[in-house]
Amino acid sequence: MIIQIQKKICNEYNICIIVVVGVLGLEQFNLGHDNGGSQDRTRILRLSYSACEYIPLAKDTKEAWGEAERESGMQLVYTTGGLDIAKRGTPGHECLEKFAKSMTAQNVEFERYEGQSIRKKFPQFSATPKWISLYQKDAGIIDAALANAVHIQLARKHGATILENAAVLRIVKEGNQTKVCTSQGDFLCKKVIVTSGAWTNDVLSSIGLKLPITVTQEQVTYFATPHMNEFTKDRFPVVFLHTGLPAAPYFIPIHGNTGFKTGLDLGGPVITPHTRTFIPDERRRKKERNYVAELCPRALGPTLYTKTCLYALTPDRNYIMDTCEEAGHRDIIVFVGAAHAYKMAPVLGKILSQLAIDGRTTYDISSFTMKRPAISDPSYPPCFKLDVPVKDDILPSYL
Ligand SMILES: Cc1cc2nc3c(=O)[nH]c(=O)nc-3n(C[C@H](O)[C@H](O)[C@H](O)COP(=O)(O)OP(=O)(O)OC[C@H]3O[C@@H](n4cnc5c(N)ncnc54)[C@H](O)[C@@H]3O)c2cc1C
């Protein structure tokens, strides 16, 4: 949560005046905690999107990460290339064609590899006669844990105050200001930006707003591959297998002191941040292992660890980025990342600050409004399918 704070002081004539103190970031836990959606060793950065509105953001985010790298002297992004793959004739094939259409429309270069040519490019894959794929050279990974720390340090360098263990308890209007009441005191603010992920509705409840956010408990697993040198960042791309169904797998090359990483997109149960556990789901772990065994068997090795993480989903899986004007709070801005926002963090920060300072942004964020049916119409059917039972079988038939 980020707010522009102001402070009441008395001048020499004892007249109360308000001065802008600056920007305050509030975090309910300790910095670097594992309870939300952002903390892990890696996150994927890709330009391959089926919806055109994300591609300009993804293009700019690379440059924005570069700014943070130059200023901090830390490498945050590693370009690995990205492979979107699907089996011919499956719903995943249709997804892939949508990606190809959007990337073509947005002048994003990509290459097609089909059948055995996939294996020629990446011999780490097992035989792929029935597959098609799109390769996009600019995709990569972000060192997420480091990037979080760097962003906080850069914010502090530029004058922001960051308070940890400072939970927002309530937000209330006070005259033409907004008062944010926290476990560490109250702050009078000109603008408030709420980016509280899975806890968004807890924070917004005090202003009477409830957004249709579904929270799921996801997990990723790291394998200690004995063939490390085949799955390094310069030899293996980030991979997303499109099935058109929930629990579709993705693979990430080895980074730092971790192993080969895999996860299932939308694989987990619906929970709340208060009911979630940190216990890995064994059935999903088995499914993750089976996918790796089937597609990239040489990546497999002993399981290093499985890490749980929260998705905060919207019904259409598009972001929410809007003011709470409809609820009578135009100075409160909300962002919800719909479980694909990490890559965009620096550019989203830029847009949110434009909204806070100028009241408008240079980016097209019209798809992210709260007025769209997915957010405003309670009968809007969610486009994601959740709680699909994970079977014990080796692989689903669409592979
Ligand atoms: C397993 C997994 C893999 C993913 N992979 C990718 C990927 O490869 N690429 C990608 O782009 N995205 C990915 N995502 C999605 C991405 O990580 C999230 O969209 C993004 O990190 C969410 O950031 P956030 O700041 O909105 O939420 P969070 O990171 O959850 O942060 C919200 C913060 O608000 C704090 N907070 C909440 N309530 C309060 C309160 N009352 N007072 C003070 N503080 C409060 C929380 O403690 C938390 O720190 C993945 C997510 C998961 C779970």
Side-chain angles (χ1 to χ4, degrees), residues 25-44:
L26 295 168
E27 169 52 54
Q28 63 181 339
F29 301 119
N30 60 303
L31 297 176
H33 71 85
D34 275 326
N35 305 322
S38 301
Q39 195 72 10
D40 195 6
R41 284 311 307 268
T42 49
R43 286 285 185 262
I44 295 172

Side-chain angles (χ1 to χ4, degrees), residues 332-353:
I332 302 178
I333 301 159
V334 177
F335 174 76
V336 180
H340 57 106
Y342 194 93
K343 65 184 79 58
M344 312 287 195
V347 88
L348 294 170
K350 179 176 168 184
I351 298 172
L352 289 166
S353 63

Side-chain angles (χ1 to χ4, degrees), residues 189-259:
C189 315
K190 197 171 164 195
K191 295 280 180 183
V192 177
I193 302 175
V194 177
T195 57
S196 45
W199 293 263
T200 300
N201 280 326
D202 290 353
V203 172
L204 295 180
S205 63
S206 53
I207 61 162
L209 195 59
K210 185 165 189 236
L211 298 173
I213 297 170
T214 302
V215 181
T216 63
Q217 181 171 319
E218 305 294 326
Q219 67 183 41
V220 295
T221 298
Y222 290 89
F223 295 109
T225 168
H227 307 289
M228 287 176 76
N229 64 358
E230 296 173 27
F231 297 97
T232 51
K233 297 186 284 279
D234 55 340
R235 294 197 175 145
F236 192 73
V238 293
V239 177
F240 198 97
L241 173 59
H242 296 268
T243 60
L245 295 168
Y250 54 89
F251 301 152
I252 300 181
I254 302 165
H255 175 64
N257 62 348
T258 62

Side-chain angles (χ1 to χ4, degrees), residues 85-95 127-132 240-251 263-267 284 287-288 290-291 294-295 385 388-399:
I85 59 175
K87 194 177 172 191
R88 207 188 305 276
T90 63
H93 183 166
E94 286 168 37
C95 294
T128 52
K130 294 181 180 161
W131 292 8
I132 55 162
F240 198 97
L241 173 59
H242 296 268
T243 60
L245 295 168
Y250 54 89
F251 301 152
L264 304 175
D265 180 50
L266 276 179
R284 272 185 286 153
K287 192 166 179 174
E288 290 159 356
N290 288 341
Y291 272 121
E294 177 73 12
L295 302 173
K385 300 184 193 99
V388 175
V390 176
K391 291 189 190 139
D392 284 333
D393 55 4
I394 299 299
L395 280 176
S397 56
Y398 48 79
L399 255 186

Side-chain angles (χ1 to χ4, degrees), residues 38 46 65 82 90 104 132 137 143 157 182 232 316 339 348 369:
S38 301
R46 61 186 159 92
W65 282 113
T90 63
T104 305
I132 55 162
K137 65 178 174 41
D143 186 325
K157 174 188 163 189
T182 82
T232 51
D316 56 0
L348 294 170
T369 167

